[in-house]
Amino acid sequence: MSKKMYPVVAVLLAFGLLLAACQPTVVEVDKIVVTEKEVPVEVEKIIEVEKIVKEVEYVEKIVEVEVEAAAAPSSYAPSGEVVIAVGIEPVSLAAWRAFAETGGAGFRSVVEQLAVRNYDTGGMDPLLATSWERQNDTTIRFKLREGVSFTDGSVFNAEAAAVAINHSFDPDNAFDILDFLGGSMTATAVDEYTLDVSTEEPDPLLLQKMDWVSIGSAKQLADAPDTYDTVLIGTGPYKFVEWNAGESLVYEGNPDWWGNSSPDGGGTVSFEKATYRFLSEDSVRAATVKAGEAHIGQYITPDDCKDIEANSGTHCDLKASVETMFIRPDTHSPLFSDIRVRKALLHAIDRQLIVDTILGGAATVASQIVNPTAAGYNPDLSPVAYDPGYAKFLMEQAAADGVPTDAEIILGARTAVIPQIAEVMVAIQAMVSEVGFNANVKFYDPEAFGKAVVMNWSEVPLDRNLVAVHLHGNEILDWATSYRFYMSCEGILSVYCNEEADALWNEALPLTGDARVALLQQANASVVEDFGVGHVAHMDLGYAISDDLDWNIKLDHRITLKEMKPAG
């Protein structure tokens, strides 16, 4: 065939497919045969056709995707049930909550995102979007995947995505994700499958943040808004079945999932049914797997890990994570507003002892709230030294100057979020009491803990003196997001305000590369040197796993159903 004839044949083939799509007949793609043949075509007609093709190039791409999707065989052949024991029950099934693994068991197997983080490459992979392009400093334009439906039968398109995103970030709704991701985000449908997502201010992390933004059903929001917190509807590989309060969440395979016939789905529906059981005790989750009653036990202790390893038919997988155990006192109380008291609190804690004994070595003593995977990690910072003698001296100094060092402090933590959290809290209580603090421990269920900590320093009662012990994961891999949550002057979770750090952080936000990292490292150092937040350890997280299950843990430690299958 003459090389000059390639464009002609390609154009005619594209238009032939387009015309065929308009006919009321079924085209069997696997029987299409393309042969090389020169076809005499008048030059004038070639020019006209090429001009039309250039003007409607996006239609040509849509036809190509639809033909490929129709030709691809479905991989949907699920069997059996997978049972997963988790520590925390959700407080709601609202789609926006899928950004959190703890408290969002299985959510990301039902609702999906435009793009997701690839922890092997560090980049972002397409999911409900097929491509994207920066329009300017505040807007990314996404081309959306076609042929996708929600499990309520409604069509996924740009308008549906815009409704879902705008609902999640509506200031009137005041969902936590609005503050977690740092302010407003708006979505606008450009055409049926083109979507613009924008922020008010320049945000170089906008694409990475889309991994946290899940797309729920616009139809549900319009027709059945009262069900938004109790029925999870998405486009994903599994469908919500039922929520048995206090016991379990049940899902089933989605035979209509677009990923059944596309490798872009990133996995396979291997199970007919998936059940998440709520078991708050670490050892009970491990025992459930050991007894063959569950395939995964989330966040088990190092001792249970050894027991699971020794058991026939089970194994323990212990992996590094982006989670850091940290401490944040109410820094504006008459007690903790004195830096000597904050120093005393942190110098009183023997982090290495906690790591080596209670955590069984499954952690690394932390000097800051992120580990080296995150931009803004400062290698020049060292963990606060364990020095109870110095801590006592600081407390005595503060008391002599009239600081109310005898005031009660509450060491508060959420149940089941950290392996052996009860032992950790008792140890911290003993350590800080030894240097002169009047400390008591209080555990909160997820909802009560949220009410206690989702509060800016300006709203905190001055006499509260809560010292919250958290587990924080920086999946976006950027210190700026951690700072926004827990340390910025206006942060919804921040009981601390450092104007110097705030200025450096704000200066860094629109920047990229080395300039951004340098400013974030400076802000990080400012917080650490002011003892505004304390750090215990970067956590390794352990799982009891049945040998009957094939599942590999990623850095984000999300339990994603499409990434697991029966072993063998």
Side-chain angles (χ1 to χ4, degrees):
M1 180 190 291
S2 168
K3 291 183 179 179
K4 293 182 180 179
M5 300 306 296
Y6 288 157
V8 179
V9 174
V11 167
L12 293 176
L13 179 59
F15 270 80
L17 290 172
L18 185 58
L19 290 173
C22 299
Q23 304 302 315
T25 57
V26 177
V27 178
E28 295 184 8
V29 177
D30 59 353
K31 293 184 179 180
I32 292 177
V33 178
V34 179
T35 58
E36 294 186 359
K37 183 178 180 180
E38 290 192 8
V39 181
V41 182
E42 296 180 12
V43 174
E44 288 185 18
K45 291 183 180 178
I46 294 174
I47 294 173
E48 288 178 1
V49 171
E50 287 181 340
K51 181 179 178 181
I52 293 172
V53 171
K54 288 179 180 178
E55 290 177 351
V56 293
E57 187 176 1
Y58 70 91
V59 175
E60 201 177 297
K61 292 179 181 176
I62 290 173
V63 172
E64 181 182 31
V65 172
E66 288 179 343
V67 170
E68 289 179 357
S74 174
S75 63
Y76 189 77
S79 63
E81 178 183 12
V82 63
V83 179
I84 301 165
V86 298
I88 294 177
E89 180 175 8
V91 297
S92 158
L93 301 190
W96 67 266
R97 293 182 179 274
F99 74 86
E101 181 62 28
T102 53
F107 285 20
R108 286 173 72 99
S109 294
V110 176
V111 290
E112 296 180 302
Q113 302 73 38
L114 298 182
V116 292
R117 169 76 74 176
N118 183 322
Y119 285 92
D120 292 328
T121 66
M124 297 293 291
D125 286 346
L127 196 60
L128 289 178
T130 57
S131 63
W132 49 81
E133 184 177 3
R134 271 277 181 184
Q135 301 299 295
N136 50 53
D137 289 344
T138 61
T139 300
I140 297 177
R141 177 161 292 177
F142 293 90
K143 294 294 185 180
L144 304 186
R145 191 174 300 280
E146 298 181 54
V148 176
S149 297
F150 291 91
T151 53
D152 61 4
S154 59
V155 174
F156 168 77
N157 56 23
E159 187 60 39
V163 169
I165 293 172
N166 291 335
H167 179 261
S168 295
F169 289 88
D170 186 340
D172 290 339
N173 291 331
F175 296 145
D176 292 347
I177 194 171
L178 182 68
D179 294 282
F180 286 173
L181 292 187
S184 66
M185 183 185 296
T186 57
T188 305
V190 178
D191 58 39
E192 188 172 7
Y193 290 101
T194 304
L195 181 76
D196 282 352
V197 177
S198 304
T199 55
E200 289 182 358
E201 302 295 331
D203 187 352
L205 295 182
L206 177 57
L207 179 59
Q208 287 82 350
K209 290 178 179 179
M210 299 314 296
D211 182 49
W212 280 38
V213 182
S214 296
I215 310 298
S217 167
K219 182 178 186 294
Q220 180 185 32
L221 290 172
D223 298 346
D226 292 345
T227 68
Y228 184 68
D229 287 308
T230 56
V231 178
L232 188 61
I233 297 175
T235 58
Y238 285 80
K239 301 189 294 183
F240 167 75
V241 176
E242 62 180 344
W243 179 10
N244 301 303
E247 296 181 6
S248 64
L249 266 173
V250 181
Y251 305 101
E252 65 182 5
N254 180 7
D256 300 318
W257 179 46
W258 61 270
N260 292 330
S261 56
S262 171
D264 293 341
T268 304
V269 181
S270 298
F271 300 97
E272 291 177 317
K273 181 181 179 182
T275 301
Y276 287 76
R277 294 179 59 189
F278 311 132
L279 302 172
S280 61
E281 296 292 330
D282 307 334
S283 58
V284 174
R285 294 194 295 276
T288 303
V289 175
K290 186 177 179 180
E293 298 172 2
H295 296 87
I296 297 174
Q298 182 191 43
Y299 302 164
I300 67 169
T301 69
D303 285 343
D304 284 329
C305 193
K306 294 176 183 176
D307 186 42
I308 288 292
E309 277 292 325
N311 182 61
S312 176
T314 60
H315 63 279
C316 179
D317 206 345
L318 190 67
K319 293 286 181 67
S321 73
V322 293
E323 303 288 340
T324 299
M325 188 193 305
F326 76 107
I327 300 169
R328 55 171 208 134
D330 286 341
T331 60
H332 283 73
S333 73
L335 178 62
F336 287 113
S337 60
D338 193 299
I339 191 173
R340 293 170 297 185
V341 176
R342 300 198 300 273
K343 285 183 176 181
L345 178 75
L346 301 185
H347 278 293
I349 299 172
D350 190 342
R351 294 156 183 77
Q352 194 65 58
L353 182 65
I354 291 173
V355 167
D356 291 342
T357 58
I358 299 174
L359 300 180
T364 305
V365 172
S367 62
Q368 53 205 282
I369 200 169
V370 296
N371 64 26
T373 63
Y377 172 84
N378 190 328
D380 297 328
L381 297 175
S382 299
V384 175
Y386 172 56
D387 192 340
Y390 181 50
K392 286 181 182 178
F393 169 74
L394 291 171
M395 288 291 281
E396 290 168 358
Q397 268 197 335
D401 290 339
V403 177
T405 56
D406 59 346
E408 181 187 30
I409 68 171
I410 301 298
L411 300 170
R414 187 170 66 169
T415 56
V417 71
I418 302 170
Q420 293 183 299
I421 183 60
E423 291 86 347
V424 169
M425 296 300 287
V426 170
I428 292 176
Q429 179 190 26
M431 292 171 186
V432 301
S433 296
E434 183 181 344
V435 304
F437 283 96
N438 176 16
N440 289 299
V441 173
K442 182 175 182 179
F443 290 100
Y444 300 81
D445 63 39
E447 186 173 8
F449 191 69
K451 290 179 180 178
V453 301
V454 181
M455 188 180 299
N456 182 261
W457 63 268
S458 61
E459 303 166 332
V460 175
L462 291 179
D463 61 350
R464 186 176 73 162
N465 287 324
L466 176 65
V467 179
V469 179
H470 285 259
L471 198 63
H472 166 61
N474 190 307
E475 290 85 359
I476 294 178
L477 307 184
D478 190 279
W479 181 86
T481 59
S482 301
Y483 180 83
R484 183 189 301 277
F485 299 165
Y486 298 112
M487 291 160 274
S488 67
C489 291
E490 296 183 0
I492 190 174
L493 292 162
S494 176
V495 288
Y496 175 68
C497 180
N498 178 329
E499 293 182 358
E500 176 189 358
D502 245 39
L504 290 165
W505 170 67
N506 275 301
E507 186 179 351
L509 287 179
L511 304 179
T512 58
D514 292 343
R516 179 187 182 89
V517 170
L519 287 170
L520 293 181
Q521 289 177 336
Q522 291 179 51
N524 190 356
S526 179
V527 172
V528 170
E529 291 164 3
D530 193 35
F531 291 77
V533 173
H535 312 97
V536 179
H538 301 307
M539 304 292 291
D540 299 339
L541 299 177
Y543 301 80
I545 305 175
S546 167
D547 289 348
D548 293 334
L549 187 71
D550 183 350
W551 175 55
N552 294 313
I553 302 166
K554 298 188 300 184
L555 185 64
D556 62 354
H557 285 252
R558 295 192 187 277
I559 302 176
T560 308
L561 294 173
K562 68 182 180 182
E563 295 173 353
M564 59 183 68
K565 60 184 178 180

